[in-house]
Amino acid sequence: MLGFLIRRIIQSIFVMLAVALIAFMMFRFMGDPVNSLVAENATVEERDAVRERLGLDQPLWVQYGRFVARAATGDFGLSWRNARPVSTLLAERFPATAELVLVAAGLSLLLGIPLGILTALRPHSFSTQTLQFFSLIGISLPTFVTGILLILVFSVWLGWLPSFGRGTVVDIGWWSTGFLTLSGLKALVLPSVMLCLFQLTLIMRLVRAEMMEVLRTDYIKFARARGLTNRSIHFRHALKNTLIPVITIFGLQLGGLIAFAIVTETVFQWPGMGALFIQAVSFGDVPVMAAYLVLVSLIFVVINTTVDLLYAVLDPRLRVDGARAAH
Amino acid sequence: MTILTVENLTVCFPGRRGTINAIEDVSLSVSAGEILGMVGESGAGKSMTGAAIIGLIEPPGRIAKGEIRLEGERIDNLRPEAMRRLRGRRIGAIFQDPLTSLNPVLTVGEQLIETIQTHLRLPRSQARERAIDWLRRVGIPAPEARIDTYPHQYSGGMRQRVVIALALCAEPQLVIADEPTTALDVSVQAQIIALLRKLARETGVAVILVTHDMGVIAETADRVAVMYAGRIVEIGEVADVLTAPKHPYTSGLMASIPRIGERPETLPQIEGAMPRPHARPEGCAFAPRCPHRMEICTRERPEPRGTLTRSVACHLTEEVPA
Ligand SMILES: Nc1ncnc2c1ncn2[C@@H]1O[C@H](COP(=O)(O)OP(=O)(O)OP(=O)(O)O)[C@@H](O)[C@H]1O
Ligand SMILES: [Mg+2]
């Protein structure tokens, strides 16, 4: 287990170095940064001075090394747009995205797993057919369309829920949370529904397919032949085997949620990292874009490693220690 | 003492091409401590007979006709919950593939203890002791330690021993073993069969042993039922049936005893193949392949003649066999 962990961490470091390289290259592709830092009529000497001060006269690999070293401490320099530290900007925006993704992920699991089980256990019932139909819609409608429909129905027509912003937030240290006020909670509903809809239907369909597969296996037939109760067969014998592959997909999807949050944040003017990223793109604010890229990749890597570890904990066949077949 | 009696059991499957009978008019009986062997080609209906007895016919299949009695009580018309309580407690089952019969994410002990506690009101500690005891009885070395390990940590033969322990741990009166050795190495097949025989003698459990291996029947079973195209064509004491088969199909089977581990899909010594359920001929289903076919055979289906313990369904057999 320890060896596995160490291997995964080393792998992750390489992945992050590669991502950092891409982020670093972005600065190059955006043209000479000195142009945007000096006055238009600056002399060559002035430009060289700036270049030297920023270390841009050094060989590329030295610059990359410095970039990585500073990124490792969370230092991505100043935003080109408003000259504030990028790390501060991201830290301000992080809680909004984190809370949105957390709620969406929670919703998709809490609804997706029970609905998947229900539709697997009653494959021919009317409710299953209905759910399958709506899940097909959920999986095929573009998310911004569902978002706009949600706003139309619940904000414009019914006026129940706000259509933009986070409502009132409460600061706990550097973290600003919307969980503690009614308006904050209300503001979370529509964006998290929009964000979770795709994952929810995906998880529901996945759980259903896996569960139906598991219910056909020999060990379930044998459990029935031993007279175990349906409850135990479904929720003890079948569910655990069903959830093992579901966890992997969910982990991968969690990363996807963060990525998709960009769209949701744009539709609902949600002040999160995704919205910050979109602004950065439109202003060509490379340090913010680079930092976002690195941060999101880091989250992906952490999630994937966690999923692999969880997988090993849940599936005894993957626990290598002591797994010796007796002959 | 007779444990199980099956009379004129017919299982049908309604389908697009009309209703087919997977098994027809199957009658048999098994007594305590007895091993009834069951042989026949693939698709003859051996597994279906077992599924009907244990009440696990897959829908849309259902029992169309006949009776199943366990110790005199009818069990073919029980409600699902009553049937569930009976499974494992009074009728056990052993399946073919030990590699897939055990739940990979639960320890052997968890699976045994749950089965025991489902049927017997025992506190967990006692159920655990009983589980360890059963592992010992089926020949698992160091059961106190092995009980907390997972199925993948056992070899195929050891897993089949665990499966046997699971089938017997609530002490059923009848166990249906459907090809319990087909998936195993030849070297462990004999051990598993010997274990089954030993447990049958010790516990008095009645065993229905489905197999393709006539050698196993000869060595293990007390009586044997030969199935063909959904029907039992001959049933009787092993010594009688094997040395003096009355049905031409049984004779053919005897002539084509396969080597151990071989699975005869068709029998080389008997020309042709067994008809599928929807294409069975009007008279005797074996008539098209029968070397002794008579005019009556294609017209009239021979009914089983004899008693529950020894009977033959063939026009050649005029008198009731002794
Ligand atoms: N779900 C089903 N629907 C329709 N027909 C079925 C179904 N299951 C089995 N049958 C039919 O029932 C008949 C008996 O099958 P069964 O599985 O009992 O054969 P078997 O003697 O156990 O064969 P094998 O040696 O291959 O295990 C076969 O003709 C098969 O086509
Ligand atoms: Mg079979």
Side-chain angles (χ1 to χ4, degrees):
Chain A
M1 198 67 153
L2 194 65
F4 172 74
L5 193 62
I6 291 170
R7 260 201 320 280
R8 284 309 308 251
I9 289 173
I10 292 172
Q11 259 174 24
S12 307
I13 290 172
F14 275 104
V15 170
M16 288 314 297
L17 281 177
V19 170
L21 183 63
I22 295 169
F24 173 71
M25 298 295 275
M26 278 196 326
F27 288 90
R28 297 277 117 195
F29 282 123
M30 294 303 286
D32 190 349
V34 173
N35 284 340
S36 54
L37 292 175
V38 297
E40 231 156 275
N41 55 0
T43 61
V44 177
E45 285 76 33
E46 280 171 336
R47 298 174 71 97
D48 283 345
V50 170
R51 199 180 297 280
E52 208 170 317
R53 188 156 49 80
L54 293 177
L56 294 176
D57 54 341
Q58 312 241 323
L60 266 185
W61 62 270
V62 176
Q63 292 185 38
Y64 172 62
R66 286 216 326 235
F67 175 78
V68 169
R70 290 194 308 149
T73 64
D75 178 6
F76 286 91
L78 298 181
S79 158
W80 289 356
R81 187 168 150 250
N82 54 16
R84 294 179 59 204
V86 172
S87 51
T88 314
L89 283 176
L90 280 173
E92 278 172 12
R93 298 299 195 100
F94 182 75
T97 299
E99 289 188 351
L100 177 63
V101 168
L102 200 74
V103 172
L107 275 180
S108 63
L109 274 187
L110 287 179
L111 292 174
I113 292 176
L115 287 179
I117 296 171
L118 184 83
T119 51
L121 294 182
R122 303 179 193 284
H124 304 297
S125 76
F126 178 71
S127 54
T128 298
Q129 309 284 333
T130 316
L131 278 168
Q132 284 288 95
F133 176 71
F134 280 107
S135 74
L136 206 63
I137 295 182
I139 233 165
S140 39
L141 261 190
T143 45
F144 67 88
V145 174
T146 46
I148 288 165
L149 282 177
L150 285 172
I151 291 179
L152 187 67
V153 174
F154 292 99
S155 305
V156 180
W157 290 352
L158 298 171
W160 290 351
L161 297 163
S163 62
F164 64 90
R166 286 185 81 190
T168 318
V169 294
V170 177
D171 287 332
I172 301 171
W174 63 275
W175 189 281
S176 68
T177 179
F179 288 155
L180 298 176
T181 64
L182 186 64
S183 79
L185 287 173
K186 275 171 101 174
L188 261 170
V189 176
L190 291 185
S192 54
V193 166
M194 167 184 161
L195 185 56
C196 88
L197 220 51
F198 181 78
Q199 326 289 327
L200 168 65
T201 48
L202 191 82
I203 287 179
M204 182 188 117
R205 292 183 148 253
L206 191 71
V207 168
R208 172 183 148 89
E210 282 294 332
M211 184 98 173
M212 289 177 77
E213 192 73 32
V214 169
L215 287 175
R216 276 195 292 270
T217 58
D218 284 354
Y219 56 83
I220 294 297
K221 286 191 190 134
F222 187 43
R224 282 195 204 290
R226 299 203 301 277
L228 302 188
T229 59
N230 274 341
R231 207 169 114 211
S232 167
I233 288 172
H234 296 154
F235 296 106
R236 189 171 135 94
H237 288 254
L239 190 58
K240 210 171 166 194
N241 284 285
T242 301
L243 289 187
I244 289 173
V246 170
I247 284 175
T248 323
I249 305 286
F250 178 72
L252 295 175
Q253 289 301 316
L254 205 56
L257 276 180
I258 296 168
F260 268 114
I262 293 180
V263 181
T264 309
E265 289 180 5
T266 307
V267 170
F268 287 94
Q269 296 167 40
W270 191 260
M273 293 192 305
L276 181 73
F277 176 73
I278 293 292
Q279 280 171 14
V281 170
S282 56
F283 284 101
D285 194 347
V286 176
V288 173
M289 286 157 67
Y292 178 82
L293 182 70
V294 171
L295 185 64
V296 169
S297 308
L298 183 68
I299 295 172
F300 258 89
V301 165
V302 170
I303 290 171
N304 280 348
T305 310
T306 315
V307 164
D308 283 348
L309 287 175
L310 251 178
Y311 209 96
V313 170
L314 282 179
D315 191 337
R317 285 164 295 189
L318 295 182
R319 276 178 235 149
V320 268
D321 40 334
R324 300 271 172 277
H327 282 274
Chain B
M1 187 185 54
T2 306
I3 296 288
L4 179 85
T5 331
V6 175
E7 264 174 74
N8 299 321
L9 184 69
T10 300
V11 172
C12 68
F13 279 85
R16 262 174 278 119
R17 280 188 289 177
T19 298
I20 58 157
N21 289 339
I23 55 172
E24 283 175 340
D25 277 322
V26 166
S27 299
L28 55 85
S29 70
V30 207
S31 304
E34 185 184 49
I35 298 181
L36 172 70
M38 220 183 224
V39 291
E41 276 164 89
S42 192
K46 307 179 296 291
S47 300
M48 193 57 65
T49 307
I53 293 169
I54 203 163
L56 286 178
I57 302 172
E58 274 173 40
R62 60 182 173 85
I63 294 176
K65 185 162 82 71
E67 286 183 8
I68 303 170
R69 291 172 191 276
L70 187 67
E71 291 188 305
E73 278 169 63
R74 274 188 71 167
I75 60 166
D76 52 290
N77 51 7
L78 290 181
R79 293 174 162 280
E81 177 58 18
M83 196 64 213
R84 178 193 67 73
R85 270 190 235 132
L86 198 128
R87 280 198 290 273
R89 179 72 186 98
R90 297 183 64 196
I91 308 178
I94 297 166
F95 291 145
Q96 178 174 335
D97 192 349
L99 299 186
T100 56
S101 289
L102 298 170
N103 194 325
V105 301
L106 299 175
T107 64
V108 164
E110 283 170 326
Q111 300 185 51
L112 270 165
I113 291 168
E114 183 183 9
T115 308
I116 292 168
Q117 285 192 312
T118 300
H119 296 297
L120 311 171
R121 292 191 176 282
L122 286 181
R124 199 179 160 83
S125 60
Q126 277 182 40
R128 189 182 161 86
E129 263 166 47
R130 204 186 163 93
I132 292 174
D133 194 46
W134 266 104
L135 288 179
R136 188 177 297 116
R137 287 180 80 171
V138 297
I140 303 283
E144 296 85 354
R146 300 309 301 271
I147 188 167
D148 293 315
T149 55
Y150 289 90
H152 71 272
Q153 292 163 284
Y154 289 68
S155 67
M158 285 293 157
R159 277 192 234 189
Q160 195 61 312
R161 288 171 191 266
V162 172
V163 168
I164 292 173
L166 276 164
L168 294 179
C169 64
E171 300 190 341
Q173 291 125 309
L174 170 71
V175 61
I176 299 166
D178 196 344
E179 304 189 40
T181 58
T182 308
L184 297 176
D185 281 353
V186 177
S187 55
V188 284
Q189 288 185 356
Q191 294 170 18
I192 295 295
I193 291 295
L195 173 69
L196 268 179
R197 192 170 47 191
K198 184 189 95 160
L199 290 171
R201 299 284 177 266
E202 274 176 22
T203 61
V205 64
V207 180
I208 295 180
L209 177 64
V210 175
T211 175
H212 281 98
D213 191 334
M214 288 303 260
V216 166
I217 296 286
E219 274 177 47
T220 321
D222 301 298
R223 287 188 307 120
V224 59
V226 181
M227 287 197 81
Y228 187 82
R231 290 171 173 264
I232 292 185
V233 293
E234 181 159 8
I235 184 169
E237 297 289 326
V238 166
D240 296 343
V241 174
L242 297 198
T243 52
K246 291 241 162 66
H247 196 286
Y249 177 66
T250 318
S251 313
L253 265 188
M254 297 309 303
S256 62
I257 289 180
R259 268 164 290 138
I260 299 170
E262 215 171 90
R263 194 185 161 92
E265 293 305 324
T266 57
L267 298 164
Q269 271 74 4
I270 311 175
E271 288 284 307
M274 191 177 72
R276 298 280 111 205
H278 52 86
R280 284 180 197 142
E282 205 176 302
C284 173
F286 187 61
R289 301 167 78 186
C290 185
H292 310 290
R293 183 176 55 240
M294 301 180 293
E295 187 260 339
I296 187 175
C297 299
T298 51
R299 228 177 345 102
E300 207 177 290
R301 179 174 294 154
E303 292 306 319
R305 273 176 264 228
T307 60
L308 269 180
T309 47
R310 173 77 168 128
S311 80
V312 182
C314 179
H315 289 301
L316 286 173
T317 317
E318 291 297 338
E319 78 281 22
V320 177

